[in-house]
Amino acid sequence: MTNLDPYLAVYFITFVVLILLEVPIAYAMLASAFEFIIFNHQSFVMFAQKTANSLADFNMLALPAFLFVGCFMNEVGLTDRLFGMFEKWIGHLPGGLAHANVLSSMVFAGMSGSALADAGGLGTIEVSAMTKAGYDPDFSVAVTAASAGIGPIIPPSINFVVWAFLSQTSTLAMFQAGMGPGVLMGVAMMIWIPIAVKTQHIACPRAKKVSWKERFQALYTSLPALGGPAILVLGIMTGIFTPTESASVACIYALIISVFVFREVNLQTLYKIFADSCVSSAVVLFVVSMSAPFGWFMTTEN
C-alpha cells in the first residue's frame, strides 16, 4: 500500500474552504496545486508545462469562437428576431410565451453552446416579453433559467469541448451524444409548462393571435437565425466540420448575415462584441488551465 502524503488533507481542506468562501474555482485549484508543489518539493517547471499544455490543445480554439457567436447574436438582434418568431406562431396558445422561451433556447443553443450567453442575452428578452404580457414574474424567470440549461447540452457545446479535453475523448462523440438529451430536455419542459400552469394556477395570459401573413413574415425575418444552427448541427453530425471548424464556420456565418443581410454592424459594435468575448473566454480558459495542474497532483496522490 502506498504511503499517503501527510499534507493530503491540507490540499483538499484548502480547496473546499476557498470554494465555501466563494473564491473563484480556478484560484482554489491553483492554491491546492501550489501547496502540493511546495510541500513535495516539485519543480515549478512541471506546473508551467501542465498549464501551457492545457491551452495548446487544438479543440480549445472552439471555445472563444462559440463565445464570440453567442455575444454576436445577442448584440446584433438575432435573438430578438428568433424569440419574436416563436411568439407570433405559438404565443396565443396556453403558456405560449413559455413554450416560445424553450424553443428559442433550443435553437440558440445550436449556435452559441453556452448557458451564460443564453441567459444573459436571450433570457433578458424572454423575461421582459413574458412579464409585459402579464405572465407571473417568478414563473418567467424559472422557465428562462431552466431553458438556458439546454445551451451546454445541444451541440455545439462549450462544456462538451472542455469535458472532451479533460477526459481525452472525442469532441464529436460528445456532441453526438448531447443531441438526444438536449431535445428531450426541451420536450420535457414543454410538457411540464401546461401542467404547472394548470395545477399551480400560474398567471399566463394568451397573446393576441396574429394573421398567417404576420407569422410567415416573422419566420422570413428570422431565417438567418434559424439557418446558423441548422448548418452547424448538420455539419457536425455528418462529419463535414470538425468541432473546431464548426466554431469558425459559426463566426463567419454570423458576420456575413450581419454585414450583408442586416447591415447592423459597425466598428463600435464589433469592438464591444470582441471585448465581451475576450472576457468570457479568459474566464473559461483560466479554469481549464488551472484544472491541468490540479488534476496532475490528484493523479500523483492517487
Side-chain angles (χ1 to χ4, degrees), residues 27-108:
Y27 291 104
M29 290 190 290
L30 174 64
S32 296
F34 257 67
E35 286 180 339
F36 169 76
I37 291 171
I38 293 169
F39 293 146
N40 287 273
H41 308 290
Q42 295 282 348
S43 172
F44 279 94
V45 173
M46 182 64 74
F47 176 87
Q49 187 180 51
K50 294 290 182 182
T51 304
N53 288 343
S54 68
L55 299 177
D57 188 271
F58 179 72
N59 288 327
M60 287 295 104
L61 288 173
L63 294 183
F66 284 132
L67 287 167
F68 171 83
V69 171
C71 293
F72 204 99
M73 289 185 69
N74 288 328
E75 194 65 31
V76 301
L78 286 178
T79 47
D80 301 57
R81 295 169 185 264
L82 186 62
F83 181 72
M85 185 270 293
F86 284 119
E87 180 181 2
K88 282 186 167 53
W89 276 86
I90 60 175
H92 62 281
L93 300 174
L97 290 186
H99 290 303
N101 186 323
V102 175
L103 289 172
S104 298
S105 293
M106 292 173 69
V107 175
F108 187 77

Side-chain angles (χ1 to χ4, degrees), residues 107-230:
V107 175
F108 187 77
M111 277 286 277
S112 71
S114 168
L116 288 176
D118 188 319
L122 180 61
T124 306
I125 298 165
E126 292 167 340
V127 171
S128 176
M130 292 173 72
T131 305
K132 285 181 181 178
Y135 278 60
D136 181 272
D138 293 337
F139 177 71
S140 303
V141 173
V143 172
T144 301
S147 65
I150 301 175
I153 307 301
I154 291 181
S157 165
I158 292 173
N159 287 33
F160 283 173
V161 174
V162 176
W163 294 338
F165 163 73
L166 293 176
S167 60
Q168 295 300 298
T169 55
S170 167
T171 307
L172 178 59
M174 284 276 196
F175 282 180
Q176 291 173 335
M179 177 55 74
V183 173
L184 284 175
M185 283 176 65
V187 172
M189 289 179 197
M190 295 180 72
I191 293 173
W192 171 82
I193 286 169
I195 296 174
V197 169
K198 188 172 183 179
T199 58
Q200 300 177 30
H201 308 291
I202 298 170
C204 291
R206 297 192 188 192
K208 181 183 177 182
K209 191 173 183 178
V210 300
S211 65
W212 284 101
K213 180 181 178 181
E214 289 179 279
R215 294 182 189 180
F216 282 108
Q217 187 176 7
L219 176 61
Y220 175 75
T221 57
S222 63
L223 280 178
L226 295 171

